[in-house]
Amino acid sequence: MQGLRFSPQLASALRTSVRIGQQLVDFVVPPTCPSCGICLQERAGLCAACWGLVQFLSPPWCDRLGTPMPYDCGPGAVSPAAIAEPPDYDRARAAASYTGPARDIVHQFKFSNRPALSKVLAPMMVRGGAELFESDPLLVPVPLHRWRLLKRGYNQSALLAHAISELTGLQHDVFALQRIRHTSGQVGLKRAERRKNVRKAFEVPEEKRFVVTGRHVVLVDDVLTTGATAESCARALKRAGASAVDVLVFARVNPEHE
């Protein structure tokens, strides 16, 4: 069955109606900064003052963890944390440090029903993870269990992967990885407890193995703390034949300062 087709005039009128409707919503309920609460002219994002407080990450950084290094040690340099406990993923990159306004915007995006913030975070993630895109990878979001997805209404990681795909033209697949075991929340758990909580919680469905086999995969999530979830996902993807698994998030905790 063919999809609905609209004349250019009708399509333009529909777009105008949607825009006017959103403007009306924003007039009645003005958008606010996720960090300080000040009213904004734009629909989503941080105010200028709060953006100025975001601690953006940039090289030199640990080649494995993507965390800041005190000085440039040359290509491929890794931090003491990565040497002491190498992660199961290959590389991680983040746009910002998980503190201050960056932490606030993640909380609003994840827990306060503000899915539009994915459009704000994605461009910064693309800049922070540019080197991960050189080999035309497959973007795979960290999946939610179906019960948590029903409760929240959306998977924030899937929204980020979709937005990044639109910006870069990279392929993304929201079904390439699934959560097969319902786990309790990671907030408040220690590193060992987090790892135990998500152990064997993910798998690549049999019908999706051909998508993953031999591919460089970039795992997309909103925040990286201890890395327990990312490592569990990476192990599942590599068991299914992924040639490499990198991780891209908006914000991360520095393991050197945990």
Side-chain angles (χ1 to χ4, degrees):
M1 184 174 63
Q2 293 183 345
L4 293 175
R5 294 183 178 179
F6 301 106
S7 68
Q9 295 83 1
L10 180 56
S12 177
L14 289 171
R15 287 193 295 268
T16 300
S17 297
V18 170
R19 185 171 62 252
I20 293 174
Q22 186 59 56
Q23 289 172 347
L24 179 61
V25 170
D26 289 346
F27 176 77
V28 176
V29 185
T32 59
C33 172
S35 184
C36 69
I38 191 174
C39 291
L40 301 173
Q41 292 183 345
E42 300 295 331
R43 289 188 55 201
L46 292 165
C47 69
C50 288
W51 275 126
L53 297 175
V54 175
Q55 298 179 20
F56 291 104
L57 301 180
S58 61
W61 50 32
C62 170
D63 189 61
R64 294 296 302 275
L65 302 178
T67 50
M69 300 277 276
Y71 47 85
D72 192 349
C73 299
V78 296
S79 65
I83 294 173
E85 201 167 1
D88 289 316
Y89 51 79
D90 294 275
R91 296 175 294 176
R93 296 293 181 266
S97 179
Y98 188 53
T99 184
R103 182 180 182 126
D104 294 336
I105 198 171
V106 167
H107 279 213
Q108 290 286 315
F109 174 45
K110 195 170 184 176
F111 302 118
S112 297
N113 194 30
R114 298 188 67 172
L117 290 174
S118 63
K119 302 293 186 180
V120 178
L121 305 183
M124 290 178 285
M125 294 172 66
V126 169
R127 288 193 294 271
E131 64 184 301
L132 305 183
F133 304 148
E134 294 174 356
S135 61
D136 190 32
L138 172 69
L139 303 175
V140 175
V142 172
L144 287 179
H145 190 272
R146 60 183 180 274
W147 297 120
R148 187 161 294 160
L149 181 60
L150 285 171
K151 181 179 180 180
R152 185 173 298 169
Y154 58 91
N155 178 357
Q156 75 282 353
S157 302
L159 292 179
L160 291 171
H162 178 73
I164 293 169
S165 175
E166 287 188 326
L167 291 170
T168 62
L170 295 172
Q171 178 188 359
H172 78 292
D173 194 326
V174 298
F175 302 111
L177 188 64
Q178 66 181 11
R179 189 182 292 253
I180 58 174
R181 183 168 60 82
H182 182 60
T183 59
S184 59
Q186 296 279 71
V187 177
L189 298 182
K190 296 180 180 179
R191 181 187 295 268
E193 294 171 332
R194 284 173 178 251
R195 288 180 172 174
K196 182 178 180 180
N197 189 41
V198 295
R199 186 175 297 135
K200 296 183 179 180
F202 304 94
E203 74 172 11
V204 175
E206 191 64 36
E207 65 273 14
K208 284 292 183 178
R209 285 180 174 263
F210 79 96
V211 177
V212 170
T213 300
R215 291 294 301 272
H216 169 205
V217 174
V218 171
L219 187 70
V220 178
D221 206 358
D222 54 346
V223 63
L224 187 67
T225 49
T226 64
T229 297
E231 290 192 80
S232 184
C233 289
R235 289 192 294 269
L237 288 163
K238 289 184 176 182
R239 283 197 302 269
S243 59
V245 179
D246 293 329
V247 179
L248 177 60
V249 298
F250 168 65
R252 72 152 304 145
V253 172
N254 189 342
E256 308 277 2
H257 301 154
E258 269 194 320

